[in-house]
Amino acid sequence: MTQVETETVPEEVRPGRTRWGVFTAILAVPTLVVAGLIALLVAWLFTDDSVDTGVRKVPCAEAFAYGGAKPPAGARDLTCVQEAAQDPRYEARFRLRSAEVSAWVAASYPDGPGLRNVQCDGDNVYACMTWGPVAGQSSSVQLEVTHDGPNWSEVRFVAFTP
């Protein structure tokens, strides 16, 4: 008998055939990087970032009382905070009709210097007052008034212990 030799022919690679292993490996790296960044973003959004800055919201009556005043009637967007340090420092910001600002300052501080239009620090500050210590209080007061439209003013009230 004659022996027939068989020759093995390598399997031909057909054009257009995707090598899924290589393709998966190439896509896995960027996918894992994006997934990691999304996980870090979610963790950052849900972590407690409330580092104690010493600033907390307080009732506005408390902030104004520290400076020997009462909150103005008709004030809008009134927000008050206390900066805790060795001595407390209160800050209030509000909007008030421009025509009522001087009357509120005169009623709050009848013995005070009143608003002035010169030597005021800050951008766009058209009137200010610094007075202290306030009668009956151990605190001083600073006021800065800026225009907030034709009929409104924005007032920054700061009461602090010098």
Side-chain angles (χ1 to χ4, degrees):
M1 275 200 169
T2 56
Q3 201 172 0
V4 179
E5 286 187 32
T6 59
E7 190 176 313
T8 58
V9 178
E11 184 179 317
E12 292 182 23
V13 176
R14 288 179 273 158
R17 183 172 176 220
T18 304
R19 298 189 184 265
W20 289 108
V22 173
F23 182 73
T24 304
I26 291 172
L27 284 182
V29 172
T31 303
L32 289 173
V33 169
V34 170
L37 290 174
I38 290 172
L40 286 173
L41 177 64
V42 168
W44 177 71
L45 289 174
F46 290 104
T47 56
D48 185 17
D49 291 336
S50 61
V51 175
D52 186 14
T53 60
V55 177
R56 64 182 179 93
K57 288 186 175 185
V58 295
C60 287
E62 177 182 334
F64 283 99
Y66 191 77
K70 291 183 181 175
R76 294 188 179 173
D77 304 328
L78 185 59
T79 58
C80 300
V81 295
Q82 177 190 20
E83 296 177 22
Q86 189 171 5
D87 294 313
R89 180 179 184 272
Y90 290 89
E91 183 173 326
R93 291 181 181 264
F94 57 93
R95 292 176 52 230
L96 189 63
R97 290 200 176 275
S98 298
E100 299 173 5
V101 174
S102 291
W104 172 73
V105 172
S108 297
Y109 304 105
D111 299 330
L115 291 174
R116 66 178 185 270
N117 297 68
V118 293
Q119 297 178 335
C120 295
D121 293 334
D123 295 336
N124 303 322
V125 175
Y126 76 87
C128 59
M129 181 187 88
T130 302
W131 190 45
V134 176
Q137 304 288 327
S138 62
S139 63
S140 294
V141 172
Q142 289 180 339
L143 292 171
E144 293 178 347
V145 185
T146 58
H147 287 292
D148 189 29
N151 299 321
W152 290 89
S153 293
E154 183 174 329
V155 180
R156 179 176 171 255
F157 170 91
V158 179
F160 59 96
T161 303

